[in-house]
Every structure is written in structure tokens, then in C-alpha cells.
Amino acid sequence: MRFSLRLMATPTAAGSTAGLKPAPMALLPLIPLYRRLLRTHRKHLQREERLLGDEYIKSEFRSHRNVENPVHIIGFLTEWQMYAQKLEGDSWRGERIDSGKVDKMSDQQLGQMYELMQAIQKRDQENNGED
């Protein structure tokens, strides 16, 4: 009997997502994620940044308390969990927002981003003036 490469069984990637997209991460439940975010702020942010961030987290979680759409909930939890991972890894400093995310933002969200940008610029000018 002659063996041929054609007849020998070989594993394939059929049916797997290897190489196509990253494996999905396990989402933390709501309360542990909320606590993780506040702990991450306490550990990785300066006092002013932490106060602003904590208030924003609290208001966002409060405003999404009664959401029932599962797709919206998963998106909300995923984005906050990725935010926590970025803060913990210190890879967020100097990083730009993905243009795809900016395109999906509502006018209200864009207004909030603009106000945040102005507050940061104002703080930087005040800090440079003190030095």
C-alpha cells in the first residue's frame, strides 16, 4: 500500500475562527465591572482625572440601569471592559480615538467629547502657566 499526501487526514481550520477575529473575551457581570472601573481609576489616574472619571462612570451606569436591549447591554459592557483593560495596561496615554467610533457617535456624544477636550486643554494651559 502506498501512502499519498492526498489521502492522509490533516486538521483544517474549517469551522474555527482562528486567524479571522480574536477570541471573544468573557464579559464581567455589571457590579464587578463597575467596581473594577472605580478601582482602576483609583490606582492609575491622578486625582482630578479620577474624580471626573468616577462621576462619568457613575452617571453612565445610572443612565443605563433600565436598558433591556441585550445587544445594547453587551456593547455597553464590552466597551467599559476594554476601557478598564486599557487603563490597567497604561496603553491609553496619547492614543487617538478610532475614527469608526467617532463616526458612530451621536451629536450629544460629540458635544461631550468636545467639552472634555476643552476642559483638558484649559487644565493644560493652567498647569503650563503655573510652571
Side-chain angles (χ1 to χ4, degrees), residues 5 7 11 14 19-20 22 43 47 59 63-64 66 69 78 82 96 98 110-111 115 120:
L5 291 177
L7 297 175
L20 299 178
K43 186 175 180 182
R47 186 177 191 284
S59 70
S63 68
H64 288 80
N66 297 322
N69 182 347
T78 301
M82 289 186 335
R96 294 188 176 272
D98 180 32
L110 290 172
E115 289 173 9
I120 291 169

Side-chain angles (χ1 to χ4, degrees), residues 3-48:
F3 284 57
S4 125
L5 291 177
R6 218 171 41 147
L7 297 175
M8 295 178 72
T10 58
T12 66
S16 74
T17 59
L20 299 178
K21 60 182 176 180
M25 63 182 159
L27 288 176
L28 287 174
L30 187 69
I31 300 298
L33 177 61
Y34 180 79
R35 290 178 180 155
R36 177 183 176 187
L37 289 163
L38 295 176
R39 271 193 309 270
T40 302
H41 277 188
R42 197 169 46 241
K43 186 175 180 182
H44 294 279
L45 296 180
Q46 296 174 1
R47 186 177 191 284
E48 292 174 351

Side-chain angles (χ1 to χ4, degrees), residues 55-123:
E55 282 302 314
Y56 185 72
I57 287 172
K58 290 173 185 177
S59 70
E60 281 296 300
F61 274 73
R62 224 177 277 121
S63 68
H64 288 80
R65 182 181 293 164
N66 297 322
V67 173
E68 295 180 8
N69 182 347
V71 174
H72 190 80
I73 293 169
I74 290 172
F76 179 80
L77 294 175
T78 301
E79 288 298 320
W80 279 110
Q81 189 162 326
M82 289 186 335
Y83 169 76
Q85 289 172 346
K86 280 186 185 257
L87 278 183
E88 290 166 350
D90 281 337
S91 65
W92 59 277
R93 295 197 184 267
E95 186 176 316
R96 294 188 176 272
I97 297 175
D98 180 32
S99 62
K101 288 184 181 180
V102 173
D103 293 339
K104 292 179 182 179
M105 287 184 180
S106 68
D107 290 340
Q108 180 185 6
Q109 291 170 322
L110 290 172
Q112 288 176 333
M113 291 295 292
Y114 183 72
E115 289 173 9
L116 179 61
M117 181 189 72
Q118 287 181 324
I120 291 169
Q121 288 175 344
K122 181 180 177 185
R123 185 195 67 185

